[in-house]
Amino acid sequence: MVIVAIFVGIILLGLVIGLVSRPKVQARARAHVDAVQATAAAFGWQIDRSPVPDIRARLPLGGMFNADTAIRATAQLTGQWRGVPVVALQLTYGTDGVATRTWHTMTMIMVPRPVPGTVVALSPQGMSWANFLASDRQIGYAPFDQRYHVHAKDDEHARATLTPAVAGLLATDPRMQDRMLFFGEQDLAASFPGPITQQQVVAQTADLLLEVAQRQAAR
C-alpha cells in the first residue's frame, strides 16, 4: 500500500506541476507568435504556411546533420530582400545524449544562387560538426583556410565555388561569426543559432548572402 500511495503521489504531483506550468507555456507560445508576426511586419514579409522546402534535398546539410537527425520547421517567412526573393525558416533539430534528446533552435535564410554550381558548405572553426572535420577542404588562401572548415567533394570543387572574390569577403567579414554558409546547386543559404525573431541578425545575414551572391555573379 505504501508503494501504491507513493506512486499515486508522484502522479498527482506531476499533474499539479503540469497545471501550474501550462499557463506559462501558453504565454511563452503566444509571445513567440507575436514576435514572429512582428518580424514579418518589420521586413514586409509574409508568414507562409505552405509546405516548407525540402532543405535536405536543396542544401548540403550532410556536413551539419546526420541522415537520421530529426529536423522540424516551426516558422516560415517569405518575401523580398533588396529586390531578391528570400525564405526565412525557423528550424528545430534534436541531438541525442546518453538517455535523452535535446532540441535546439536555429534560423536559416535562403536566397537564389546566381551561378548554379558545385555544392559546398562551410563553418567557422570552433563551431564545426565532426562531419565537417572529416572532409575539411583547403582552397589555398591562408586567411580563409585558417578561419573555416569547408565541406565539399574535394579541394577543386571547393575552389570552384569559393572564388577569390568570395573567399576574400568571408575571410574577414564579422557577420560570419556563429554562422554556417551553404551553397546548394540552386540556392544560397546561411544559418545561425536561435529563433527567427532576432531581427538584426536576420537582416545582417540576408545582407551577407546578397553580397556573397553578387561576388559570385561578378566572376
Side-chain angles (χ1 to χ4, degrees), residues 122 138-145 148 155-173 183 211-212 214-219:
L122 62 93
Q138 303 289 304
I139 67 167
Y141 178 49
F144 179 92
D145 290 333
Y148 296 104
D155 288 356
E156 291 303 316
H157 280 77
R159 294 187 187 109
T161 296
L162 300 167
T163 62
V166 173
L169 169 68
L170 297 178
T172 59
D173 198 309
F183 296 83
E211 289 185 39
V212 172
Q214 289 168 356
R215 295 201 177 205
Q216 274 205 311
R219 66 180 181 178

Side-chain angles (χ1 to χ4, degrees), residues 24-198:
K24 296 180 180 179
V25 172
Q26 292 175 336
R28 286 197 298 268
R30 286 194 297 269
H32 179 68
V33 170
D34 291 343
V36 171
Q37 292 174 336
T39 299
F43 295 128
W45 296 347
Q46 299 80 43
I47 296 177
D48 191 340
R49 293 181 172 83
S50 62
V52 172
D54 184 354
I55 58 173
R56 286 189 184 274
R58 294 172 61 169
L59 296 171
L61 299 185
M64 183 175 179
F65 299 111
N66 294 321
D68 58 349
T69 301
I71 307 174
R72 300 194 304 239
T74 55
Q76 177 178 211
L77 306 180
T78 57
Q80 300 274 323
W81 184 253
R82 306 193 191 285
V84 176
V86 64
V87 177
L89 299 171
Q90 180 173 290
L91 305 171
T92 60
Y93 63 95
T95 56
D96 293 325
V98 176
T100 60
R101 169 169 288 182
T102 302
W103 289 95
H104 310 271
T105 300
M106 63 178 286
T107 297
M108 179 173 285
I109 313 296
M110 298 174 60
V111 300
R113 181 174 175 174
V115 181
T118 304
V119 172
V120 173
L122 62 93
S123 165
Q125 296 197 33
M127 65 172 293
S128 298
W129 273 250
N131 293 1
F132 267 108
L133 301 177
S135 59
D136 194 17
R137 306 302 179 189
Q138 303 289 304
I139 67 167
Y141 178 49
F144 179 92
D145 290 333
Q146 291 168 3
R147 185 177 184 186
Y148 296 104
H149 292 298
V150 177
H151 182 82
K153 183 178 180 180
D154 51 41
D155 288 356
E156 291 303 316
H157 280 77
R159 294 187 187 109
T161 296
L162 300 167
T163 62
V166 173
L169 169 68
L170 297 178
T172 59
D173 198 309
R175 292 172 296 184
M176 274 300 296
Q177 183 176 358
D178 296 331
R179 287 168 176 77
M180 293 187 176
L181 194 61
F182 304 90
F183 296 83
E185 292 182 355
Q186 304 290 332
D187 303 284
L188 179 61
S191 67
F192 56 84
I196 202 171
T197 54
Q198 302 170 84

